[in-house]
Amino acid sequence: DAKTTQPTSMDCAEGRAANLPCNHSTISGNEYVYWYRQIHSQGPQYIIHGLKNNETNEMASLIITEDRKSSTLILPHATLRDTAVYYCIVRVDSGGSNYKLTFGKGTLLTVNP
Amino acid sequence: GAGVSQTPSNKVTEKGKYVELRCDPISGHTALYWYRQSLGQGPEFLIYFQGTGAADDSGLPNDRFFAVRPEGSVSTLKIQRTERGDSAVYLCASSRGGKGETQYFGPGTRLLVL
């Protein structure tokens, strides 16, 4: 699976949008971008994933650049409960050894009051 | 519906002892995964089950670690002769099918080996 690069930490004011970047310049054409987050002392929580089109669900939006070498996770109105480590992962969705999720160190997002 | 559950939530043991960690996947999920997370690191893959069989155990660090899933639902991760370096959070995840399906994680078991 392709390697991802994320900033170590970010801060965001409560109520504002949080934009978390991820670089995945070696992504292959059949690899999806997944985002998980991990709130302190909890297991990772699935947020969203996409291939090349932008995606939105009740939690977040995922914007993938046209060349697919980077993406941004957007939390439109961050709350204190969104403080967590956010992981960007790329993974093939069919065939091969694609069941493994390869986590990096992620981005620690701190939402401030 | 109910998510992935893991028991115990915390386990303290002494070096050299045997421990068992249990995972109850989401009902109907055929795939089950174990990961281990050391302090300050992201989770690392240990083993993947599809049904009752271990499809990939390449992440198990050594032969002290073993996992079973005899009826294709509940899984137990077993660690023999525990060492202090085994201290970590052990995470279980399940997915509806196998390859490519979204994995949903449990809260983890925090293992401390004294």
Side-chain angles (χ1 to χ4, degrees):
Chain A
D1 289 340
K3 182 178 178 179
T4 61
T5 305
Q6 298 177 254
T8 302
S9 63
M10 294 181 64
D11 284 89
C12 177
E14 188 178 19
R16 304 298 293 266
N19 297 280
L20 293 96
C22 179
N23 287 322
H24 30 78
S25 58
T26 59
I27 192 170
S28 300
N30 59 349
E31 287 184 309
Y32 283 69
V33 180
Y34 277 76
W35 284 83
Y36 281 77
R37 74 179 181 183
Q38 190 170 25
I39 296 169
H40 184 61
S41 296
Q42 297 183 22
Q45 178 188 24
Y46 166 77
I47 302 173
I48 198 168
H49 74 285
L51 183 62
K52 49 184 156 181
N53 297 324
N54 297 337
E55 302 288 342
T56 295
N57 62 21
E58 65 278 4
M59 290 183 68
S61 294
L62 174 60
I63 308 298
I64 303 174
T65 58
E66 192 168 341
D67 63 6
R68 303 208 326 118
K69 293 185 177 182
S70 65
S71 60
T72 301
L73 179 74
I74 300 172
L75 307 178
H77 305 287
T79 70
L80 299 179
R81 286 176 291 184
D82 291 322
T83 293
V85 177
Y86 287 76
Y87 295 100
C88 169
I89 300 164
V90 293
R91 189 181 76 152
V92 175
D93 245 16
S94 62
S97 60
N98 63 337
Y99 39 82
K100 302 177 187 179
L101 292 175
T102 303
F103 290 82
K105 292 192 175 182
T107 296
L108 172 60
L109 174 69
T110 302
V111 180
N112 300 305
Chain B
V4 178
S5 62
Q6 293 186 244
T7 54
S9 54
N10 292 281
K11 176 70 177 179
V12 181
T13 191
E14 294 179 344
K15 180 175 177 293
K17 299 290 188 181
Y18 168 83
V19 296
E20 289 189 351
L21 312 178
R22 176 187 168 109
C23 172
D24 280 85
I26 293 171
S27 178
H29 280 195
T30 61
L32 185 146
Y33 316 79
W34 284 97
Y35 291 80
R36 179 169 73 171
Q37 186 171 25
S38 300
L39 195 62
Q41 306 294 318
E44 294 180 318
F45 170 80
L46 295 177
I47 187 170
Y48 157 57
F49 286 91
Q50 182 57 259
T52 60
D56 181 358
D57 65 357
S58 64
L60 295 178
N62 52 60
D63 61 7
R64 295 185 298 105
F65 289 73
F66 190 72
V68 295
R69 195 185 184 202
E71 298 179 358
S73 179
V74 171
S75 177
T76 305
L77 179 65
K78 308 180 181 193
I79 310 174
Q80 299 177 320
R81 305 183 303 279
T82 52
E83 300 178 355
R84 293 193 180 88
D86 299 335
S87 297
V89 176
Y90 289 81
L91 294 159
C92 177
S94 70
S95 66
R96 188 175 54 190
K99 299 177 177 181
E101 296 283 348
T102 298
Q103 297 178 27
Y104 297 92
F105 284 80
T109 292
R110 188 163 278 98
L111 175 67
L112 177 61
V113 182
L114 300 176

